[in-house]
Amino acid sequence: MSARTKPPATTSEPLRFGANNVPSAGWFYSWLDFEPDQIARDFDDLAGLGLDHVRIFPVWPWIQPNRTLIRSAAVEDVLTTIDLAAARGLDVCVDLVQGHLSSFDFLPSWVLTHHRRSLFDDAGVREGLRTYVDTLAGAVASRDNVFALTLGNEVNNLWPANETTIADSRAWAEELLEVAREAAPGLLCLHSLFDDAFYAPDHPFAPADVTTLGDLSTVHSWVFNGVGAIDAPLGPATLTHADYLVELAAAYATEPGRRVWLQEIGAPLPEIPAGSVRDFVIGTIDHVAQNPALFGITWWCSHDLDRSLVDFPEREYDLGLFTVDHRRKPVAEALAEAIADHRGPRPEQAARQRIECPVDLLREPERRAEVAPGSDFHRAWVAARVDGPVEIVPPAG
């Protein structure tokens, strides 16, 4: 598939496989001391696994430190990173509003201290964001190997520090998606949320934001969200959670044939211990690859986090496919094996069982707990999934 071509609503397109790029040297702080040779070596690691793309995370406040200042040198570093990926045959998705990364929030000073205001509902902040998105989206669109833009990495993690409502958060995303589309015509423009959008009743980002905003739906599957407590590391609920999220997103899409990108998935400790990693990776991908809505899989993440850096949650340190000194880990070997198994044309889809969901998630987001991990509906779906792929059907009427 051409990097700049939107995928058709069909299951014949080969799956895309990639990695979320976490720089091996200096984590995302490396944007402050940009070293192209280090980035090149990281991308060499990833290309060697047979991946076709990377997702990169420029850090917003370091590019736009003042509402009216966008640093051209920082934008050039992003373009250099994209070019280094292209030289290794890797397409690129660029995340724009970072935002939130590995438990830390990164916000510019002009939304903090005595300037404190919500980035979702403050008119001045939104004006600054429109300029930022227009500038960075327009710049990266000049590179042929960029295929997608995401507004930010799990921007719903920026709440509750930034006040919002379902109406305001949706309006924020609609506005910035339109700016991105105008600045970067031909690219996929996407909205990225973690799974509270599907599971948490009082969350001010709704299922409809996932299933109706942007050119694809994106989901992030993490088994520490409650699934692991059911049957980790290798039980059916754990191995099918990615497929369950993809299926929820597909079921509640209002556009027929809308595709779903499994944009983040990883093998976190302690839920997935070292001895279970291969079976978790292979089993999870084998299950989700059967879903006709699936666009692609992007693993979190490329490289471990250097333990000389402190104050991160423990599980963040060892999520990489590679160590910080570029050693390929068992999780990388398993991913490469899965990629080899699922490359090429997708097989004809078999008939699927159907199970009706009791909740209209688009109209009743306050009932989201009824589809969350461990709910009666989730457990029924998992039990049915043991016998083969299961389609979720929204309630009639």
Side-chain angles (χ1 to χ4, degrees), residues 39-103:
I39 298 298
R41 189 171 179 190
D42 287 354
F43 289 166
D44 284 338
D45 292 342
L46 298 177
L49 295 179
L51 303 178
D52 59 62
H53 71 273
V54 293
R55 181 174 167 227
I56 67 170
F57 305 87
V59 179
W60 169 34
W62 302 336
I63 299 177
Q64 191 183 26
N66 184 275
R67 189 155 60 94
T68 60
L69 172 64
I70 295 180
R71 297 176 54 244
S72 58
V75 174
E76 285 299 319
D77 289 344
V78 176
L79 296 179
T80 297
T81 299
I82 294 167
D83 292 343
L84 290 168
R88 287 147 184 86
L90 295 169
D91 291 338
V92 177
C93 171
V94 180
D95 269 41
L96 298 173
V97 184
Q98 265 48 259
H100 178 87
L101 292 164
S102 300
S103 85

Side-chain angles (χ1 to χ4, degrees), residues 142-167:
S142 67
R143 298 316 199 248
D144 288 340
N145 64 315
V146 175
F147 72 100
L149 300 171
T150 304
L151 289 188
N153 179 50
E154 298 185 347
V155 295
N156 49 336
N157 266 309
L158 298 174
W159 174 84
N162 290 268
E163 295 179 358
T164 193
T165 64
I166 284 180

Side-chain angles (χ1 to χ4, degrees), residues 4 7 88 97 104 107 109 118 124 156-157 173 181 193 205 235 253 275 282 287 292 333 354 356 380 393 396:
R4 298 172 69 95
R88 287 147 184 86
V97 184
F104 285 97
L107 299 174
S109 57
S118 172
N156 49 336
N157 266 309
R181 288 189 179 108
L193 302 172
F205 299 78
I282 299 294
H287 280 94
E333 300 288 358
R354 305 179 88 204
E356 183 172 312
V393 180

Side-chain angles (χ1 to χ4, degrees), residues 119-121 126 130 151 164-179 191 204-205 209 213:
L119 64 93
F120 297 113
D121 64 14
R126 284 171 62 158
R130 286 194 299 271
L151 289 188
T164 193
T165 64
I166 284 180
D168 284 345
S169 62
R170 184 175 179 88
W172 178 90
E174 288 175 330
E175 179 179 46
L176 293 184
L177 283 167
E178 185 60 29
V179 172
H191 189 30
F205 299 78
D209 297 345
L213 295 179

